[in-house]
Amino acid sequence: MIELRCLGSIDLRSPERGPATRVIAQPKRYALLAYLVLANPRGFHRRDTLIALFWPESDDEHARTGLRIALSFLRRELGDDVIITRGDDVAVKRESVRCDVDAFELALNAGDLENALSLYRGDLLPGLHVSMSPDFERWLEAERERLRRRAHDAALKLSASYESAGDSKGAVKWLRFALNLAPDDEAVVQRLIRLFDRAGDRAGALRTYESFAQRMTAEFDAEPAPETRELVAGIRARSSASADFAARTVTQPVTPIPAGDTSTGRKPAATRRGAPLLIAGLFALVAITSAGAVLWQRQPHRTNTRTRIAIVALQNQTGRPDLDYVGGMVADQIARNLGDRALGDVVTLAALPATKVAGPAAPDPVRGIAKETGARVVVTGGYTIEGDSLLLRVEVADAERRRLLAVVGPVSAAVAKPSAGIAALSAQVLSSVARAMEPRLSGIMEQRGYSRPVPLEAFKASSEGFELFLNAKSRENYERAIERFSRAYSLDSTEFNALFEMAIIEQSLEEWARADSLLIRTNALRGRMSVGETDFLDFLLARNKGDHRSAYEFARRSMERWPGAVWEFDAGYHALGAGRPRAAATLMTGLNPDKGFLKGVWAHRGLMAEAHHVLGEHVRELELARIQRERQPELLSTALYEARALAALGRMEELRKLIGESESLPPQSGLIPALPPLRGLSPGFIMVEAGLELRAHGHPDESRAILDRAIAWYRPRVESKPRSQLLQEGLGAALYAANRWEDAGKVFAVLARQYPGNVDYRGYLALIAAHQGRRGDAVVAAERLAKVNEPYLFGRATMWRARLAAQLGDRDSAISLLHRSLAEGMPFGIGIHRDIDLESLRDVPSFREFISPRA
């Protein structure tokens, strides 16, 4: 039986197979499984319904193919008995799946409220997003709100039950649970304030009010209702002694002493100072989680897939006991904001006692807290007083990595009304914690030498843009990523990383002019940048000029200054473009594409495979391609990598089978994050690539057969979509590779009329004239290409001239022009060794030297 966890975290595992990490890593397939399990009415669902939810942007044929592949993938990963079908209906076998949502609702319906709420660890499927599936997103949001409301109502019932039984501790616990689910519910705030007050914990009451008041001001520009303000005014008017007593018990750690224990020479706390002390002390250990409040009893922590964050009440270093409450107030504010943004499981703890030990022998409080609570991130701090102001200071530490993430402050807050200062401090702390919670983006920022703190909302916008970018499979994903980065920069004008990422996306889309405009704008801000930022800016400027060698050298130098996978990946890519495939393969081999910032970036092994192809190491190339195809079998790009290797090895039976399988795969844009696009990626494109490889590796008959198949694939599609540039271009390339000059010429003549500025179509027509013996036309075309002076061609016009020179018999000029094309930005890669127009140069020593990998 598999276990599906959807509340507060996303997890999927089975006792036999362990965690189903490959399913979890693919949002659409995980979402499909969750929908089949959770959607009402339970049972079978029509395929048409599933297609409309998850593949609305695809035509019927490709959508059904996508659903079929997804269901096959789930069966393969989870077992054949999990997904069942009945005609055109699909369901999960209920006996094979155990889900926490089902258990939660069953417990609620049975009246077992505490057990139900122990299962409600947070919102349904937090953080799950399925691109271009708006109907699924609407269903998911409605389900989240329904389950959240049920949990909220159950918590209120439990609180009322505990209050009726005279158990203030339980009543507070469940009220805070309810308030965390509906933080704007003022009636719950008033009940919680009264409960704290009756228990003698007036500091807790005031903290609750201050947190709520600050939220109202920040989010609604309003203040609490008059009834709430009057309630708090009455509490503040009570005797200062009682207030001081309650505040001290909240901010000091409590060590309960069992009844009758006289080993300390003191009476039990409850008999020395009365029951209110014990109750107030218990309140000091209330821990706020993102799903609600639980009593923190300093027991071994429970395993949780979400990151735990410990917020310690700030130490009062003012010498004034009447200000003890501020430390807990800061902790509550930070915890509330973290909970609102679902950044992790949050616990708050009483203030740490001051230690008299200094230096290396001093105890490490962060490690102690992390060990005791299971927290990865620990927030501590203190506050002093200057005149009428409090100076608040916070440290955010990553206990797992044993390093300080940030020091925030000192931030000034008015003694009389500290809410505004606490809000400002909390906002800065959130940004620091968010960097720990978003390891991919924060890791990249760290490896690029960015140390400047970024406001939370700007950081979140950048993080969202970065995830869209890394997982992009369509131009729309790129445009959405640009929108998120643009928002990040509008929120923080020092968020230069957002400008860099926007430039990289424009480069990936071959929108070089727009990238240039962004980089010029960014370069004007150079004086405000860190060393790491200027390094990366120089790298991007070299890249936008097509200067692979300089970009490679920049990346290599930056690797030494800022070690990590980010610069290694960039160095590897440009090493290949600069004609250094061995360096590229070595650099890429050291990276792990299954975790860190490369997780899900399917181009990594593709680049490694291309490097080994250029090196002639086709067995290793095939190994890499098959690893990636196993990871992402639904992508045409992974089939392309394997097809190239199989063709180079002459393994025809496997190649034909692979091409047949590729024809059933859903369409893919071919866009690769941070790399130029594979224009027109399709099964036909794969066939042309395989045909060229077969010809280059001595299999002419097999090459012709595959190219004929490519032509047969393209023709009907061009007839049905005659205005599709990519389909026409693909057909023309297939005809040209098959030496069908006249037919290819007709296709490219049409394209050249439609797109007169396209240098590639002019190049094809010039070469077709040379192949047909029309030497005069070819020479005139070569002269025209020599006059082309358009920006951002990166040596393409010069490469066409080199091909023409080779066809016209001028070998020396051809080789000279090849060198010039690389200097102008043409990347050294997989295409040169198999170029049919350069075949006449293969016996020329200078050409063999040219195509040999550089040291």
Side-chain angles (χ1 to χ4, degrees):
M1 174 176 286
I2 66 169
E3 182 176 343
L4 178 67
R5 183 172 295 178
C6 303
L7 293 172
S9 63
I10 291 176
D11 195 18
L12 180 64
R13 61 185 62 235
S14 70
E16 300 82 14
R17 300 172 181 234
T21 53
R22 292 182 59 188
V23 179
I24 296 170
Q26 301 194 33
K28 182 175 286 190
R29 292 171 177 181
Y30 185 92
L32 172 62
L33 175 67
Y35 182 83
L36 290 172
V37 172
L38 300 175
N40 288 310
R42 300 289 203 264
F44 282 91
H45 302 275
R46 300 288 296 172
R47 287 180 184 263
D48 289 342
T49 301
L50 301 176
I51 286 170
L53 282 171
F54 294 100
W55 289 272
E57 79 286 357
S58 301
D59 58 44
D60 187 66
E61 177 185 352
H62 287 110
R64 288 186 176 274
T65 299
L67 175 59
R68 184 173 66 254
I69 291 173
L71 294 174
S72 297
F73 173 82
L74 291 175
R75 287 191 182 99
R76 185 170 65 250
E77 294 298 316
L78 304 177
D80 293 336
D81 62 334
V82 174
I83 304 295
I84 55 177
T85 57
R86 184 185 64 189
D88 208 35
D89 297 341
V90 182
V92 293
K93 188 176 181 182
R94 308 305 298 187
E95 298 82 3
S96 300
V97 180
R98 181 169 57 238
C99 180
D100 57 352
V101 175
D102 287 340
F104 166 70
E105 296 208 87
L106 282 171
L108 283 182
N109 296 339
D112 188 357
L113 303 186
E114 291 204 47
N115 184 40
L117 294 183
S118 71
L119 295 167
Y120 191 87
R121 293 175 292 271
D123 276 345
L124 177 68
L125 299 172
L128 181 66
H129 171 70
V130 181
S131 62
M132 294 184 290
S133 301
D135 287 345
F136 171 77
E137 295 286 343
R138 282 191 284 271
W139 171 83
L140 178 56
E141 189 52 45
E143 280 297 289
R144 281 174 180 159
E145 178 57 33
R146 183 182 70 83
L147 294 172
R148 189 186 302 125
R149 174 53 57 184
R150 293 204 70 183
H152 175 266
D153 292 347
L156 290 181
K157 288 180 182 177
L158 272 173
S159 177
S161 175
Y162 274 99
E163 190 174 0
S164 298
D167 187 342
S168 298
K169 179 185 69 176
V172 166
K173 171 183 172 180
W174 295 114
L175 268 184
R176 299 193 77 165
F177 194 113
L179 186 60
N180 196 63
L181 295 176
D184 303 325
D185 191 335
E186 195 159 359
V188 176
V189 173
Q190 292 174 4
R191 284 179 59 183
L192 187 56
I193 290 171
R194 290 191 181 97
L195 269 174
F196 274 128
D197 187 29
R198 284 199 295 271
D201 185 4
R202 294 190 179 89
L206 293 175
R207 288 204 313 273
T208 301
Y209 172 78
E210 289 287 354
S211 295
F212 180 72
Q214 187 275 332
R215 177 183 174 83
M216 293 291 289
T217 301
E219 299 196 12
F220 305 108
D221 195 23
E223 59 182 7
E227 297 85 353
T228 310
R229 298 201 302 273
E230 290 173 10
L231 176 63
V232 171
I235 295 172
R236 284 177 171 158
R238 309 272 169 79
S239 68
S240 58
S242 296
D244 289 345
F245 167 74
R248 283 195 300 274
T249 59
V250 168
T251 56
Q252 294 301 317
V254 175
T255 306
I257 303 171
D261 185 350
T262 59
S263 60
T264 62
R266 297 176 295 172
K267 295 181 180 179
T271 61
R272 281 188 292 113
R273 299 288 297 273
L277 173 60
L278 181 57
I279 295 172
L282 287 170
F283 291 158
L285 300 178
V286 170
I288 306 169
T289 70
S290 60
V294 296
L295 183 64
W296 189 257
Q297 296 176 310
R298 301 183 180 271
Q299 295 173 345
H301 69 279
R302 292 177 296 176
T303 301
N304 198 307
T305 58
R306 289 161 60 82
T307 298
R308 175 162 285 167
I309 308 162
I311 316 293
V312 183
L314 273 62
Q315 286 185 338
N316 180 3
Q317 298 163 347
T318 67
R320 287 179 49 177
D322 62 311
L323 295 176
D324 282 350
Y325 76 94
V326 173
M329 189 180 193
V330 174
D332 276 1
Q333 181 63 62
I334 295 171
R336 172 65 62 83
N337 287 352
L338 290 171
D340 286 347
R341 290 161 175 81
L343 287 178
D345 287 338
V346 182
V347 297
T348 57
L349 300 174
L352 296 170
T355 177
K356 297 180 180 180
V357 182
D364 183 348
V366 170
R367 291 183 64 184
I369 292 166
K371 183 177 181 180
E372 189 171 0
T373 64
R376 181 184 134 195
V377 177
V378 178
V379 180
T380 58
Y383 50 102
T384 57
I385 190 167
E386 281 189 9
D388 294 332
S389 297
L390 295 172
L391 299 180
L392 310 168
R393 184 175 183 273
V394 165
E395 294 184 354
V396 182
D398 186 332
E400 185 176 282
R401 299 181 184 178
R402 297 187 181 181
R403 63 191 180 98
L404 191 65
L405 293 174
V407 176
V408 181
V411 172
S412 179
V415 172
K417 189 175 181 181
S419 300
I422 290 173
L425 178 78
S426 178
Q428 294 183 49
V429 171
L430 283 173
S431 175
S432 301
V433 174
R435 289 186 67 161
M437 299 299 101
E438 298 286 353
R440 290 228 283 192
L441 180 57
S442 60
I444 282 180
M445 293 173 74
E446 181 181 325
Q447 289 176 37
R448 288 180 182 164
Y450 307 163
S451 58
R452 186 184 300 107
V454 180
L456 177 66
E457 295 308 320
F459 183 85
K460 287 190 69 176
S462 281
S463 182
E464 290 164 6
F466 191 70
E467 290 301 319
L468 283 167
F469 176 37
L470 283 186
N471 297 293
K473 296 183 178 67
S474 70
R475 190 180 186 98
E476 181 182 354
N477 288 145
Y478 277 104
E479 298 294 346
R480 288 175 60 205
I482 288 174
E483 184 275 326
R484 299 311 297 155
F485 284 124
S486 179
R487 171 160 175 74
Y489 185 69
S490 71
L491 291 168
D492 177 20
S493 62
T494 68
E495 205 340 30
F496 303 120
N497 181 61
L499 295 177
F500 296 151
E501 296 298 339
M502 290 166 66
I504 294 171
I505 294 172
E506 299 293 9
Q507 290 174 343
S508 300
L509 295 171
E510 293 191 322
E511 297 288 354
W512 300 103
R514 295 201 309 212
D516 215 10
S517 176
L518 270 167
L519 291 172
I520 291 170
R521 170 186 172 191
T522 309
N523 198 35
L525 304 171
R526 176 183 289 269
R528 297 163 56 193
M529 294 181 186
S530 67
V531 173
E533 288 165 334
T534 57
D535 279 358
F536 195 63
L537 174 59
D538 289 337
F539 166 77
L540 291 179
L541 286 167
R543 179 185 168 126
N544 220 60
K545 295 175 185 175
D547 190 347
H548 292 279
R549 181 170 181 173
S550 292
Y552 168 63
E553 295 299 337
F554 274 126
R556 287 285 297 181
R557 285 200 298 270
S558 296
M559 279 172 55
E560 298 172 5
R561 183 179 291 172
W562 318 106
V566 176
W567 282 115
E568 288 182 42
F569 181 83
D570 289 330
Y573 169 59
H574 287 285
L576 182 58
R580 293 170 170 80
R582 178 62 66 197
T586 301
L587 286 162
M588 293 285 179
T589 300
L591 305 178
N592 187 341
D594 297 319
K595 68 177 185 178
F597 98 99
L598 282 173
K599 185 176 181 179
V601 181
W602 46 271
H604 170 265
R605 288 195 180 94
L607 281 171
M608 285 183 67
E610 183 169 347
H612 285 286
H613 189 104
V614 174
L615 291 165
E617 297 167 353
H618 302 302
V619 173
R620 176 59 176 156
E621 175 193 10
L622 180 61
E623 178 185 345
L624 290 164
R626 284 185 165 165
I627 291 172
Q628 193 58 32
R629 191 153 181 258
E630 181 184 344
R631 300 285 194 281
Q632 295 170 305
E634 76 282 5
L635 295 184
L636 280 167
S637 54
T638 59
L640 170 65
Y641 302 147
E642 186 173 347
R644 285 171 174 167
L646 290 171
L649 292 166
R651 291 162 66 162
M652 287 306 304
E653 184 176 344
E654 294 168 85
L655 178 60
R656 281 190 286 266
K657 181 181 177 183
L658 174 66
I659 288 174
E661 292 173 353
S662 77
E663 293 188 74
S664 65
L665 293 176
Q668 183 186 347
S669 70
L671 296 171
I672 302 176
L675 306 177
L678 294 168
R679 285 180 57 81
L681 182 59
S682 66
F685 183 97
I686 294 173
M687 295 174 206
V688 173
E689 290 278 300
L692 291 170
E693 286 296 335
L694 285 166
R695 175 169 170 162
H697 291 275
H699 306 284
D701 295 337
E702 292 84 352
S703 172
R704 280 191 294 272
I706 292 290
L707 290 170
D708 286 344
R709 185 171 176 178
I711 293 166
W713 187 91
Y714 275 113
R715 279 202 186 282
R717 288 165 175 80
V718 171
E719 291 170 3
S720 64
K721 294 181 179 179
R723 300 189 65 81
S724 170
Q725 181 184 3
L726 290 179
L727 285 173
Q728 290 184 80
E729 189 178 294
L731 175 59
L735 291 165
Y736 187 87
N739 294 351
R740 294 169 61 170
W741 314 123
E742 184 175 353
D743 290 340
K746 291 177 182 178
V747 174
F748 285 116
V750 171
L751 284 168
R753 287 194 297 272
Q754 292 174 337
Y755 307 96
N758 190 299
V759 71
D760 296 321
Y761 303 152
R762 284 181 274 167
Y764 271 118
L765 290 173
L767 278 164
I768 288 169
H771 284 294
Q772 291 179 328
R774 293 185 283 118
R775 186 180 181 87
D777 291 343
V779 170
V780 170
E783 292 171 351
R784 289 175 179 167
L785 284 169
K787 296 177 182 178
V788 170
N789 192 28
E790 300 169 17
Y792 312 118
L793 287 179
F794 303 115
R796 290 199 342 259
T798 305
M799 177 60 80
W800 286 112
R801 292 175 60 203
R803 292 174 177 131
L804 269 169
Q807 284 302 310
L808 295 174
D810 189 350
R811 294 183 170 188
D812 290 341
S813 293
I815 292 170
S816 175
L817 288 166
L818 284 173
H819 282 284
R820 182 174 166 185
S821 72
L822 292 190
E824 291 174 352
M826 175 66 65
F828 182 95
I830 206 166
I832 294 175
H833 81 286
R834 64 168 190 221
D835 194 312
I836 64 174
D837 293 306
L838 302 178
E839 287 177 349
S840 63
L841 303 178
R842 290 180 181 172
D843 62 343
V844 178
S846 56
F847 178 74
R848 291 201 298 270
E849 180 183 353
F850 174 79
I851 63 174
S852 298
R854 276 69 166 170

